[in-house]
Amino acid sequence: MSHPTRLAAALSIVVFFLSCGEDGTSQITEHKDVKNQPPKDTGGEGDPDLAPQDLWQPPADTAEPSPLLTKMETHLIPESIVAGGTAAVSCHGFDANGNPVDTGPVTLVVPEGVGHANFQVSANKVGSYEIKCHATKVPNAEVTPAELTVTAGPPLNFQISLKPVKDYYGIGDKVTVSAEGEDSFGNVIAEVNLGPITITPPSMGQVKDDKVEVLTEGKGIIEATSAKTPSLSD
């Protein structure tokens, strides 16, 4: 059930009056969207949807690297995940001429904030993270890292706001409805993608996209839900 931004009439010649809290600030009610479930927190344990045959298999600890190995490259699938998601890592070795060669055993190096297990990486906070494959037995091999990009997940809660901010709205005024929220890991979503916007009673205003045009005097309630966001498995 959506929690609305409330508007109330103050004078008969005024259409809308934005209700305020005791401190005089505009009162915007927090909206908790129960339709969007929090993204799963893998905790660096890997994505169970990735079958073993789909993952790059690291060489055994007893494997020997090629004597021609000079470069290591790190690859991610995918390179961008939503918070709580998982990416698979693969490590590849090359000689000085760019020909693929055996790496021998490899070591995965990740920054703080990134969990990893079985050459899968996961992170909960929005940002960019450098992931590196090192050839364990060739420590001086040149390393090319991969960049893991983490974006905010679906909104767990958000607040809707009206622009322009006014104490009173007159007939013919157009109000833009927007929202800011957070995902289940506390990442800020500056612009929540809103679903249908409604006004009650409908005679109070006309809704078109993200705008409401005031049509009559009285009291009205503007409500909005977040648009459906694809899940991690989509």
Side-chain angles (χ1 to χ4, degrees):
M1 178 179 178
S2 58
H3 295 256
T5 296
R6 296 186 178 276
L7 304 173
L11 298 171
S12 61
I13 59 172
V14 177
V15 180
F16 287 164
F17 172 60
L18 188 63
S19 65
C20 297
E22 295 180 356
D23 59 355
T25 58
S26 298
Q27 181 179 345
I28 306 297
T29 305
E30 181 180 72
H31 171 108
K32 288 194 175 182
D33 186 359
V34 297
K35 294 181 181 179
N36 288 332
Q37 297 300 317
K40 56 190 174 184
D41 181 3
T42 63
E45 293 301 320
D47 190 334
D49 295 330
L50 291 174
Q53 63 268 23
D54 297 329
L55 300 174
W56 169 81
Q57 298 299 318
D61 290 342
T62 56
E64 290 299 321
S66 166
L68 301 178
L69 177 65
T70 60
K71 299 178 182 179
M72 290 289 296
E73 287 188 3
T74 312
H75 295 265
L76 295 172
I77 300 177
E79 295 179 340
S80 179
I81 61 173
V82 298
T86 301
V89 183
S90 61
C91 305
H92 306 273
F94 299 89
D95 64 16
N97 295 316
N99 300 305
V101 296
D102 292 334
T103 64
V106 295
T107 302
L108 193 61
V109 178
V110 301
E112 184 179 354
V114 176
H116 71 93
N118 302 322
F119 286 87
Q120 296 183 65
V121 292
S122 180
N124 297 338
K125 292 300 182 181
V126 168
S128 295
Y129 302 90
E130 199 172 74
I131 312 299
K132 297 178 180 180
C133 289
H134 287 264
T136 307
K137 296 182 179 180
V138 189
N140 59 344
E142 179 185 346
V143 175
T144 300
E147 186 175 275
L148 176 68
T149 300
V150 180
T151 59
L156 181 64
N157 59 71
F158 63 86
Q159 295 179 325
I160 60 176
S161 58
L162 306 177
K163 294 181 180 179
V165 177
K166 297 170 64 175
D167 289 338
Y168 301 89
Y169 296 94
I171 294 176
D173 283 353
K174 293 183 178 180
V175 182
T176 300
V177 182
S178 61
E180 178 178 303
E182 291 184 346
D183 69 10
S184 62
F185 299 108
N187 296 303
V188 174
I189 307 170
E191 293 185 12
V192 173
N193 186 19
L194 292 177
I197 297 170
T198 61
I199 184 169
T200 304
S203 60
M204 289 296 302
Q206 179 178 349
V207 179
K208 184 176 181 181
D209 299 326
D210 63 343
K211 293 180 173 57
V212 178
E213 180 178 358
V214 179
L215 298 180
T216 63
E217 297 179 359
K219 298 179 181 179
I221 298 175
I222 290 176
E223 298 176 287
T225 60
S226 64
K228 182 182 183 300
T229 305
S231 67
L232 293 178
S233 59
D234 286 350

